[in-house]
């Protein structure tokens, strides 16, 4: 079995071009998406405008089906220390095994500050694993919400998107 190549991207003008990023396909990896989110998804627009981006994100998703490989691939790609690493400019934490893989990655690299926004907090079976990821000291996890959703749990920082 030949595995696809992992795609760790570079940041953008907003977060800085030297910030590594890891993305997944939008919508299909977003179990906590709301109707508002589906209608206004910026990542979906980008993937439609630039099909090569969607292909790279799909390759990442293929590797994510094997959490041990994902952990090894990401840790092997992080050969130097970066101040920050952005998880999911596109996509979200889609299952427990995937969340646990990121918990292992983040804990293994305390020299890097990781951050991500998630709507998966709204999926009951994903909340506890996300709480464990959020508890890793160098992980900055924000509950993302919009006008059609409730607020994340009280102990969460959150990002609110208004219409």
């Amino acid at each position: 079995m030949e595995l696809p190549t992992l795609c760790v991207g570079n940041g953008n003008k907003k977060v800085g071009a030297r910030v590594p990023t890891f993305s997944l396909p939008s919508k299909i990896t977003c179990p906590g998406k709301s109707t508002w989110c589906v209608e206004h998804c910026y990542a979906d627009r980008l993937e439609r405008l630039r099909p090569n981006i969607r292909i790279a994100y799909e390759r990442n998703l293929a590797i994510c089906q094997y959490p041990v490989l994902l952990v090894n691939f990401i840790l092997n790609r992080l050969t130097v220390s970066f101040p920050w690493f952005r998880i999911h400019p596109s996509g979200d934490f889609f299952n427990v095994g995937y969340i646990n893989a990121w918990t292992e990655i983040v804990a293994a690299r305390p020299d890097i500050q990781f951050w991500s926004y998630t709507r998966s907090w709204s999926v009951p079976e994903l909340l506890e694993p996300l709480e464990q990821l959020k508890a890793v000291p160098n992980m900055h996890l924000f509950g993302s919400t919009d006008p059609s959703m409730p607020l994340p749990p009280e102990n969460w920082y959150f990002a609110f998107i208004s219409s």
Side-chain angles (χ1 to χ4, degrees):
M1 169 180 68
E2 187 175 328
L3 289 172
T5 305
L6 183 75
C7 178
V8 174
N10 295 320
N12 55 35
K13 290 178 185 174
K14 237 198 292 193
V15 299
R18 296 199 65 234
V19 175
T21 63
F22 183 81
S23 288
L24 297 172
S26 64
K27 295 184 180 178
I28 64 169
T29 62
C30 302
K33 65 185 174 284
S34 67
T35 303
W36 187 95
C37 186
V38 170
E39 291 173 6
H40 297 91
C41 182
Y42 74 90
D44 180 58
R45 285 192 302 269
L46 181 62
E47 291 168 21
R48 283 187 279 120
L49 288 171
R50 299 182 63 194
N52 285 343
I53 288 176
R54 176 70 176 208
I55 291 167
Y57 294 173
E58 287 171 347
R59 287 195 320 246
N60 286 352
L61 180 58
I63 292 170
C64 292
Q65 305 313 306
Y66 308 93
V68 172
L69 285 178
L70 175 65
V71 170
N72 290 333
F73 279 151
I74 294 286
L75 292 178
N76 286 334
R77 287 296 300 268
L78 296 177
T79 56
V80 298
S81 184
F82 295 94
W84 291 94
F85 187 105
R86 169 95 189 263
I87 306 168
H88 301 144
S90 175
D92 206 340
F93 297 100
F94 61 90
N95 69 28
V96 173
Y98 179 67
I99 296 167
N100 292 342
W102 276 107
T103 302
E104 187 176 338
I105 292 164
V106 173
R109 291 304 304 262
D111 56 316
I112 299 173
Q113 299 296 308
F114 292 81
W115 95 93
S116 187
Y117 301 91
T118 183
R119 290 170 186 254
S120 294
W121 61 266
S122 65
V123 179
E125 64 268 18
L126 300 181
L127 183 57
E128 181 56 35
L130 286 168
E131 292 278 2
Q132 292 171 11
L133 173 60
K134 188 170 79 65
V136 180
N138 56 317
M139 181 68 207
H140 308 273
L141 188 59
F142 298 86
S144 181
T145 190
D146 63 55
S148 71
M149 297 177 69
L151 293 177
E154 272 189 41
N155 63 336
W156 281 63
Y157 291 111
F158 64 90
F160 186 80
I161 299 171
S162 59
S163 52

